[in-house]
Amino acid sequence: MSDSRPLDFDLFRRTCTEALELTNGLPTTVPDRAEVDRLTGYLRGHVELLVGELEAAIAGQREDTSDRETARWLLIRTRKALDEGHGPNHRTAAVHVEDLALTCRALATLCHQFCAPAGSS
C-alpha cells in the first residue's frame, strides 16, 4: 500500500450502504440533495483512495489474469465517472452517488484481493 494506514473496509462498506439506502427509491423518489452531496464527498474520497491503492497493487504484478483485467477495466470506468461528476440536476446527482457507491464496493472488493498483505483474510 502507498499509505501507512490500513484501508478501512468497514468504513467503505458503511458509506456505500448508506448511499444505496438513500437512493433506494430512485427513480420514483429523488433523495434530499444535501444528503446526496454529503455522501458524494465521502464516496469520492474513498474511491480516489481505493483507485490509488489498486493501481499500485496491479502495477506490481507480472502476470495478466482475468482479475487484473477486471481491475484495469474498473479503474478506467471509475476515472471516467469521477471526471464526469454528478450531472446537471438533483436526479443525476442521486444516480451519480448511487454509481459511486457501487463502484466503491467493487473497488474495495478488488483492493481487498490485490492489496491485502499475504496471509490476511
Side-chain angles (χ1 to χ4, degrees):
M1 282 189 297
S2 61
D3 193 337
S4 60
R5 294 173 295 154
L7 295 173
D8 190 345
F9 292 103
D10 289 333
L11 176 61
F12 302 151
R13 187 174 16 261
R14 285 192 310 268
T15 308
C16 292
T17 298
E18 185 178 355
L20 293 172
E21 287 173 356
L22 182 69
T23 60
N24 191 37
L26 285 171
T28 307
T29 306
V30 178
D32 178 67
R33 181 62 185 258
E35 281 300 297
V36 168
D37 289 346
R38 180 183 68 82
L39 287 168
T40 298
Y42 287 136
L43 285 166
R44 280 187 73 86
H46 296 341
V47 165
E48 289 169 357
L49 174 64
L50 288 164
V51 162
E53 294 293 327
L54 189 56
E55 284 176 335
I58 66 170
Q61 293 196 335
R62 291 183 174 255
E63 67 182 72
D64 276 336
T65 64
S66 61
D67 288 340
R68 187 173 181 211
E69 290 304 312
T70 299
R72 284 184 181 149
W73 172 85
L74 183 59
L75 288 167
I76 291 166
R77 184 192 172 287
T78 300
R79 281 190 216 100
K80 184 175 187 243
L82 289 173
D83 289 345
E84 289 175 352
H86 59 73
N89 59 49
H90 292 348
R91 183 174 303 281
T92 58
V95 169
H96 179 68
V97 79
E98 184 176 60
D99 185 52
L100 281 177
L102 294 170
T103 299
C104 184
R105 186 183 281 174
L107 286 167
T109 299
L110 286 170
C111 224
H112 186 57
Q113 176 184 340
F114 284 101
C115 304
S120 71
S121 55

